[in-house]
Amino acid sequence: MTTQLEDQVALYRTLPAAQRQEIISLADPEERAVFAWVEKEMAIQKSPGSMAAALTGGREWQARHLDLIDKAFIRIANGERMRVLLNMPPRHGKSARAARWAPLWYLARHPDHRIMIASYAAKLAEGHGRWIRDSIKDMGDEIGIHLRYGSMAANRFDLDGTPGGLVTAGVGGSLTGMGANVAIVDDPLKDAKEADSPVKLANLWDWWQQVINTRMEPNGSIVVIQTRWSENDLAGRILQTGAEGWTVLDLPAIAMEEGDPLGRKIGQPLWPERFRRKHLDRFKKDVGERGWWALYQQKPRPMEGGVWKWPWITQNRITPEAFRGVTLTRALVAIDTAGGREDSDEVGLIGGGCTADAEMYILADRSRKMGAAEWGREACILAIELQADAFVVESNFGGDMAAQILRQAWQELQREGLTEGMLMPRIIEVTAKVGKRLRAEPIAQIYENGHVHHVGEFPGLEVQYVSWIPGMDSPDRLDAAVHLLTELADPSSHSTGTQHYADNRLRGRR
């Protein structure tokens, strides 16, 4: 290569893609061959996915959800200390990208670093190590790293001329004396049987705390990528401990709520180019309700508790399309405030209604962690959407303050012109005079008798229903739903409800 061409190549590397393509189109055959080689080299260095495309001639799968893995590893390779938790359904390419291409790419960027890969079985982790080792053997010249002679085992190898390399292990295996700049934990549980075993889960957590975390370099990063199995699997335990300092990317097969990491609309598949909605619907039928929610939706449903049963919910569920033929006589928004502090539990925010023949419907679950001003506004916006006639708020814990928050939020929406001329719903302050079990059991009985219908799916609320056992603190979504349904089920609220509204706002609903 001439000095002039070397200078051209140096400049070429700094240019945006459009300008590089223009230069290639005007280059002579010799220059075009050099620029093609530079393009491949730049692609190999850019990201794990770009490397995979360049080295396989574009055969390796590429997708937006896999780009999230790439972005995490790019940040790590740039020196950022990260803790990443990525939950994905099976057969969506997570292991190929996170436990094969990403470590290969990272070692090419940092040949003096060490990577650790762990999976539920030593042989599975070793399989990842073998793939990476063989890729270095076959493509070392292209990616710029080589294996050290005499250190080429699939479960542990070193790179030539540097202290870098890779080690693999099964979950529970010993890693004494081994350190890592990056640890990748890929599918730490084998199946549902392991996920239901308290012993397996306890051993996994001990290994996580006492082995993996103690092997990390001071600025080391950990990436946990798994399909969810149970609420107490590794991802679940990390989330239960607060996930402080973690980047959590929750990717269900079908988007279920706003704020999806990929910006999907509700109902959109994760990988439509490979798994269209019809394929996912078939999987749902094949794996069953519990398997679907855990493996594909990343919302593991626990074994049934002592009050609610899954069939009471699933067998009476209706679609939003079917609900269009339903005429409600009342609609309510129920709020369990959780104190309204930023550091509190979730605020339970549930919308629902009933018909003249006492059939009840859960219409919305907007529960999440919110401050007072935020939940007040969210409750009012939901009331406008549902044309609700009342808010239900438990007065035991700041009920007077909750009422004031709602009034202020409504006035603010009025000033913004968002209430659409609707009168503010009445505020019903309820007092929990009986224990949680006595409040919940009548509502559970109504579910059992088939008179409560969920319009669509509300995984957060439904998991709380079936996992709640008497004696436990009842969570905020469940409390809000129980208050809502108790008010709707009260015969006096139907017979005297219109007397509370001199403006006849319920006219036409009864």
Side-chain angles (χ1 to χ4, degrees):
M1 188 183 299
T2 65
T3 302
Q4 181 180 4
L5 187 54
E6 287 178 351
D7 292 340
Q8 287 181 311
V9 167
L11 175 63
Y12 179 88
R13 291 178 183 274
T14 68
L15 299 175
Q19 283 186 255
R20 298 201 308 270
Q21 287 301 314
E22 184 177 353
I23 290 173
I24 289 176
S25 67
L26 298 174
D28 61 39
E30 180 185 355
E31 292 173 333
R32 191 175 296 121
V34 172
F35 291 140
W37 172 80
V38 173
E39 283 289 336
K40 185 174 183 179
E41 185 181 62
M42 291 174 65
I44 289 171
Q45 296 171 352
K46 182 181 179 182
S47 71
S50 181
M51 170 186 272
L55 294 179
T56 65
R59 294 189 303 276
E60 184 69 20
W61 284 106
Q62 306 296 323
R64 289 199 306 149
H65 65 282
L66 298 177
D67 290 341
L68 294 179
I69 298 176
D70 288 352
K71 289 176 181 177
F73 274 91
I74 290 171
R75 291 172 63 184
I76 292 169
N78 288 339
E80 188 173 348
R81 180 181 183 271
M82 294 190 70
R83 297 291 186 270
V84 181
L85 176 58
L86 180 58
N87 298 323
M88 291 174 57
R91 310 305 303 162
H92 278 65
K94 59 182 175 54
S95 292
R97 182 60 54 87
R100 295 191 171 186
W101 285 109
L104 180 66
W105 175 83
Y106 183 90
L107 286 175
R109 287 280 303 270
H110 295 283
D112 58 330
H113 284 193
R114 298 199 68 83
I115 287 181
M116 185 182 299
I117 301 176
S119 295
Y120 65 81
K123 284 194 173 296
L124 179 62
E126 185 179 310
H128 295 321
R130 180 177 292 105
W131 184 94
I132 297 168
R133 181 202 64 186
D134 292 347
S135 296
I136 296 173
K137 281 183 177 180
D138 296 339
M139 298 177 288
D141 289 341
E142 292 180 276
I143 62 179
I145 53 176
H146 296 86
L147 297 169
R148 182 183 301 172
Y149 179 78
S151 179
M152 301 182 183
N155 65 347
R156 180 171 182 170
F157 60 77
D158 301 315
L159 298 181
D160 188 39
T162 79
L166 179 143
V167 63
T168 71
V171 167
S174 174
L175 290 167
T176 304
M178 302 177 186
N181 300 93
V182 179
I184 301 162
V185 181
D186 177 52
D187 276 339
L189 286 170
K190 180 180 180 180
D191 52 27
K193 183 178 179 181
E194 287 195 357
D196 286 336
S197 168
V199 173
K200 285 283 188 182
L201 293 176
N203 290 340
L204 171 58
W205 188 246
D206 287 344
W207 175 84
W208 167 257
Q209 291 183 305
Q210 299 172 22
V211 179
I212 279 289
N213 280 283
T214 61
R215 301 270 71 84
M216 300 308 301
E217 294 294 332
N219 201 42
S221 294
I222 300 177
V223 180
V224 177
I225 300 185
Q226 69 165 88
T227 293
R228 293 299 307 274
W229 284 101
S230 82
E231 69 279 8
N232 289 317
D233 59 18
L234 181 57
R237 291 293 296 273
I238 290 170
L239 294 171
Q240 290 166 26
T241 57
E244 184 178 353
W246 283 80
T247 298
V248 179
L249 298 171
D250 191 54
L251 294 170
I254 296 174
M256 290 295 298
E257 53 193 25
E258 302 294 338
D260 181 78
L262 292 173
R264 291 178 294 164
K265 295 180 180 179
I266 293 174
Q268 288 185 331
L270 179 60
W271 198 356
E273 297 84 0
R274 190 178 187 199
F275 296 113
R276 287 180 286 180
R277 184 62 187 263
K278 67 177 183 180
H279 298 125
L280 296 173
D281 289 341
R282 186 172 69 243
F283 293 157
K284 183 177 181 179
K285 182 179 179 181
D286 292 341
V287 302
E289 188 84 6
R290 190 182 180 209
W292 168 256
W293 282 103
L295 301 180
Y296 286 87
Q297 292 301 92
Q298 313 312 307
K299 301 289 185 185
R301 294 181 165 185
M303 300 300 287
E304 293 177 0
V307 179
W308 268 268
K309 309 297 180 187
W310 278 120
W312 302 351
I313 299 170
T314 59
Q315 292 177 7
N316 297 296
R317 193 190 308 278
I318 68 169
T319 65
E321 291 75 20
F323 177 72
R324 291 173 187 162
V326 174
T327 300
L328 298 178
T329 57
R330 293 198 73 190
L332 304 175
V333 171
I335 307 132
D336 184 278
T337 63
R341 303 185 311 276
E342 294 291 350
D343 60 347
S344 68
D345 293 334
E346 287 184 326
V347 173
L349 182 54
I350 306 294
C354 66
T355 61
D357 56 356
E359 294 297 302
M360 287 173 276
Y361 298 85
I362 296 294
L363 302 172
D365 178 6
R366 304 287 171 81
S367 309
R368 64 178 188 273
K369 284 194 174 186
M370 293 180 276
E374 187 180 3
W375 72 249
R377 186 178 179 89
E378 285 293 314
C380 290
I381 289 173
L382 180 57
I384 294 167
E385 291 177 12
L386 302 182
Q387 292 293 290
D389 58 87
F391 296 107
V392 181
V393 184
E394 185 174 329
S395 62
N396 297 47
F397 302 99
D400 292 340
M401 183 174 67
Q404 183 61 27
I405 289 168
L406 288 169
R407 293 190 186 99
Q408 290 175 350
W410 190 268
Q411 291 168 3
E412 181 180 330
L413 290 171
Q414 277 184 321
R415 289 193 294 270
E416 296 174 15
L418 299 177
T419 57
E420 303 173 1
M422 176 180 166
L423 294 171
M424 180 177 174
R426 182 164 59 96
I427 298 174
I428 302 173
E429 295 183 7
V430 298
T431 302
K433 296 180 180 178
V434 298
K436 293 181 183 294
R437 177 168 188 155
L438 293 178
R439 293 207 314 265
E441 284 186 337
I443 302 305
Q445 186 70 44
I446 297 172
Y447 268 90
E448 183 178 12
N449 293 335
H451 296 304
V452 182
H453 311 274
H454 289 199
V455 182
E457 296 170 325
F458 305 104
L461 173 62
E462 292 166 10
V463 165
Q464 289 187 3
Y465 270 136
V466 300
S467 59
W468 182 70
I469 298 173
M472 294 170 54
D473 287 338
S474 53
D476 303 293
R477 298 175 194 239
L478 185 150
D479 274 349
V482 167
H483 285 313
L484 181 142
L485 295 168
T486 299
E487 173 67 20
L488 290 175
D490 185 358
S492 65
S493 70
H494 291 267
S495 61
T496 64
T498 53
Q499 296 177 15
H500 297 297
Y501 299 106
D503 49 54
N504 291 320
R505 70 181 68 187
L506 293 179
R507 177 179 293 170
R509 284 193 174 181
R510 302 181 185 277

